[in-house]
Amino acid sequence: MSNETTPTAVTIATGDQEPDQSTTPNKPHITWSDSYTKAHEAIQSLTSILPNIPSSLSSSETPASCLLHDPSTAEQISKLLRHPNSGAGDNNLCRWLYDTFQSSEPELHLVVLKFLPIITGVYLSRVNLHKPLAGFEAVLLALYGHETTTRNGQAVTVNIPDLSHSSIYHETNKAAKNSATELNLAVISPSLEPYGTVRSMKRAHIVGVALQLYYSKIPQIPVESKLDFCEFCKVWSSGESCENGENGDVKRRINLPWELLQPVLRILGHCLMGHKKDEKLYESAIGAIGCLYGRALHDLNTKAMLATGSLLQLVKLASESDDVDYTDITESNTITL
């Protein structure tokens, strides 16, 4: 589909008359900007894939936002992604997700990222079944390529405080060290190289980078997507799920190397401690972390045991603090130092 859309074509698609911009100065979002046009193009392309598209999407003044939050459309897309034959190279829905993300429209990026938990969940569970999954891989490579371009291939690092360096707030007789050459850096995400295909040795790395992109946008992603993510974490860790598999879900444990587990735990950490606490999401995240902790114990993975155990300890501390009444003054003859 061409990216050049005339005002007449958009008018026909939306069912609106072309307004006089001089008389509508307070509604710039109704003008045929790139974002408005691209969102309508995405919705029109989706009508040939889904059986039922709500008319409110096309008539909305903010079509990308409506597409992101519409429950009916999300349910239909999720069902198709979970279908036993989904993910092939000629899959129309995967092609739509790929093209929609390549539109470079930030709000449409969120629409694609919303379904990343299902894409990664189904993909990683089926990858060893020797099924054609080129459609899923194309979407994952698009996300990976976007992150590679955004970061210019550079690694993400943080400077960890080092007690061997003198504090600027204390006097010392020691000579100051050259912090430029002795930084104690920790690598959060390694440097990125462009890839055109998903090879088995780089699969966890590519999926991990895609999940890192998901995490960077997670405050804007609907709760339903995060619930899907928590559910697949349970599947990945133990091969068990509370779903009944009617949609063709494969209940299969997967390998969890650190480059994949690290962004998973960061996402679950947000689900636990996000500023907009959702009780259902909170409980689902606790269950997912518990499964990952059990998997770490089974695999004797000390790094994973420490990370998942720390999150469970935060949950315990949070529950204990809810039971403490700091305004209650207890009478006691004992002085505690």
Side-chain angles (χ1 to χ4, degrees):
M1 182 179 293
S2 173
N3 290 331
E4 296 182 359
T5 307
T6 62
T8 304
V10 178
T11 302
I12 295 173
T14 60
D16 297 331
Q17 296 298 321
E18 183 176 354
D20 182 2
Q21 296 184 10
S22 63
T23 60
T24 56
N26 296 326
K27 293 185 178 181
H29 54 280
I30 299 181
T31 61
W32 288 277
S33 63
D34 286 344
S35 59
Y36 187 77
T37 302
K38 289 176 181 178
H40 269 285
E41 289 179 349
I43 293 172
Q44 291 300 317
S45 299
L46 196 57
T47 57
S48 61
I49 302 173
L50 301 184
N52 182 26
I53 295 290
S55 59
S56 59
L57 294 183
S58 296
S59 60
S60 173
E61 296 179 352
T62 55
S65 178
C66 286
L67 184 60
L68 176 64
H69 296 285
D70 183 68
S72 174
T73 305
E75 183 179 358
Q76 295 179 70
I77 293 178
S78 299
K79 187 175 181 179
L80 288 178
L81 289 174
R82 294 173 185 266
H83 192 274
N85 296 324
S86 64
D90 59 351
N91 184 272
N92 290 329
L93 181 56
C94 290
R95 186 177 302 160
W96 180 85
L97 290 167
Y98 178 87
D99 292 339
T100 300
F101 192 83
Q102 296 288 15
S103 68
S104 71
E105 175 56 36
E107 285 190 298
L108 292 179
H109 283 181
L110 293 177
V111 173
V112 178
L113 289 173
K114 174 183 178 179
F115 300 102
L116 183 61
I118 299 179
I119 293 173
T120 56
V122 176
Y123 172 71
L124 292 176
S125 298
R126 294 178 183 173
V127 73
N128 292 325
L129 301 180
H130 305 293
K131 285 189 172 184
L133 299 172
F136 284 155
E137 292 179 343
V139 177
L140 292 171
L141 284 170
L143 302 180
Y144 177 86
H146 172 81
E147 190 70 358
T148 301
T149 302
T150 302
R151 286 166 43 179
N152 196 25
Q154 300 298 315
V156 177
T157 61
V158 293
N159 184 18
I160 301 177
D162 189 349
L163 294 179
S164 65
H165 289 72
S166 301
S167 170
I168 61 175
Y169 301 104
H170 297 84
E171 294 182 359
T172 178
N173 295 326
K174 295 182 179 180
K177 295 184 179 181
N178 187 353
S179 59
T181 60
E182 298 186 22
L183 289 177
N184 189 15
L185 295 178
V187 178
I188 301 298
S189 180
S191 57
L192 305 179
E193 300 177 3
Y195 295 116
T197 58
V198 180
R199 299 186 181 277
S200 58
M201 296 297 294
K202 297 296 182 181
R203 181 177 294 117
H205 175 61
I206 292 173
V207 175
V209 171
L211 291 176
Q212 182 65 32
L213 177 59
Y214 179 90
Y215 173 76
S216 68
K217 306 293 183 183
I218 199 169
Q220 302 167 267
I221 294 176
V223 172
E224 293 75 18
S225 174
K226 303 170 192 177
L227 289 171
D228 288 334
F229 181 82
C230 293
E231 183 59 37
F232 275 109
C233 286
K234 299 174 187 177
V235 175
W236 293 341
S237 59
S238 62
E240 298 178 358
S241 170
C242 61
E243 298 288 339
N244 56 20
E246 293 179 356
N247 293 320
D249 294 346
V250 178
K251 308 297 183 293
R252 186 177 297 275
R253 284 176 48 165
I254 65 170
N255 292 328
L256 292 171
W258 184 247
E259 55 192 345
L260 179 59
L261 185 59
Q262 185 185 42
V264 166
L265 293 178
R266 297 184 75 183
I267 294 170
L268 291 176
H270 168 87
C271 296
L272 284 178
M273 299 174 285
H275 68 284
K276 293 182 179 179
K277 185 174 179 180
D278 182 277
E279 193 62 33
K280 185 177 180 180
L281 177 61
Y282 182 78
E283 295 297 332
S284 184
I286 293 176
I289 295 170
C291 288
L292 290 171
Y293 180 68
R295 172 67 180 274
L297 292 176
H298 179 272
D299 296 344
L300 298 179
N301 186 335
T302 55
K303 185 183 288 189
M305 288 164 57
L306 178 61
T308 53
S310 298
L311 287 176
L312 290 176
Q313 187 66 21
L314 286 176
V315 174
K316 181 180 178 181
L317 292 175
S319 62
E320 291 177 350
S321 64
D322 292 340
D323 299 331
V324 177
D325 184 3
Y326 295 101
T327 63
D328 184 20
I329 302 177
T330 58
E331 296 183 1
S332 175
N333 295 325
T334 303
I335 300 176
T336 303
L337 299 179

